[in-house]
Amino acid sequence: MPNAKQNVLTPLTRDFYNRDTLEVARDLLGCWLVREINGEQMAARIVETEAYCGAEDSACHAHRRRSPRTEAMFGPPGHAYVYLVYGMHWLLNVVTEPDGSPCAVLIRAVEPTANEDAMRAIRQATGKQLSNGPGKLTRALSINKALYGHDMTQRDQLWISAASHHEPVATGPRVGIDYAKPEHRDAPWRLWLADNPWVSKAR
């Protein structure tokens, strides 16, 4: 794990998230997702994201209306939007754009980079199955409803730290949004590090 004294584990600022959602989705690639539990840190490199671009995006949860489930999306940028799918998988998103604009980036896959053994103790999976999908990574990092609305710009429990990468970025349609309008269903708003083996199989 990088030396904390090098400031690499400092959370990204609110200004980072207070930007165009597609730009944030691209810039999150290569960054470190850090989870701290009882003083022990686990970290993983973000290798795949999806952008959800507000009320006009028919794939976005905020498309139809504001609700208790989507309330975090309407709040300040930099907060966690965590929700349950299929009644069993928690998914982690981070809110983007100004307060009141319900946009977010889904973290779809991560590559373990620090304390992988602790992650495997939480989620017993072989090889890349540990975290090469949005529901897998939340299980491995013990991310659930308790972190709904959590401020990820603070160095507490869950945050993202800046890091650079030199790999090419690939784009394609988002996954599991057959209900969306064609223009949103086909939009290339899923981004991933093209050659990274930890990217999900949904290509």
Side-chain angles (χ1 to χ4, degrees):
M1 190 170 189
N3 190 331
K5 293 181 180 179
Q6 297 174 343
N7 208 34
V8 295
L9 297 183
T10 299
L12 293 168
T13 67
R14 205 167 312 283
D15 285 344
F16 175 92
Y17 299 108
N18 193 20
R19 299 181 295 139
D20 177 81
T21 303
L22 284 167
E23 291 182 6
V24 176
R26 179 176 291 270
D27 291 346
L28 282 173
L29 293 173
C31 289
W32 291 63
L33 178 63
V34 184
R35 178 74 165 109
E36 187 172 85
I37 302 174
N38 297 325
E40 181 178 40
Q41 286 186 357
M42 299 173 284
R45 192 166 175 251
I46 297 172
V47 300
E48 184 178 1
T49 60
E50 283 183 348
Y52 287 86
C53 302
E56 296 188 5
D57 176 4
S58 60
C60 182
H61 287 173
H63 173 61
R64 290 189 177 88
R65 60 185 175 86
R66 189 168 183 162
S67 69
R69 183 195 193 198
T70 62
E71 189 63 30
M73 293 184 72
F74 289 84
H79 286 253
Y81 172 48
V82 181
Y83 61 88
L84 191 67
V85 294
Y86 308 126
M88 58 189 298
H89 300 300
W90 294 104
L91 302 191
L92 171 66
N93 302 252
V94 59
V95 176
T96 58
E97 303 202 17
D99 195 345
S101 178
C103 302
V105 174
L106 170 68
I107 309 301
R108 267 199 65 86
V110 298
E111 174 186 3
T113 48
N115 213 351
E116 182 176 339
D117 287 346
M119 295 172 66
R120 292 192 183 277
I122 297 171
R123 172 176 160 75
Q124 297 179 5
T126 59
K128 299 173 185 64
Q129 291 296 318
L130 177 67
S131 58
N132 64 346
K136 298 174 184 179
L137 72 90
T138 55
R139 180 71 63 85
L141 293 169
S142 193
I143 295 169
N144 54 38
K145 187 179 180 179
L147 288 164
Y148 181 95
H150 174 73
D151 188 352
M152 295 180 66
T153 68
Q154 303 299 310
R155 189 169 172 169
D156 175 43
Q157 298 187 73
L158 180 69
W159 68 92
I160 298 174
S161 292
S164 60
H165 73 85
H166 303 288
E167 298 126 298
V169 173
T171 63
R174 293 169 293 181
V175 179
I177 56 166
D178 293 343
Y179 55 85
K181 295 178 180 179
E183 62 266 33
H184 300 139
R185 188 171 62 241
D186 300 332
W189 292 351
R190 182 166 60 91
L191 304 93
W192 65 92
L193 297 181
D195 302 322
N196 190 284
W198 288 83
V199 171
S200 71
K201 292 183 178 179
R203 299 294 181 90

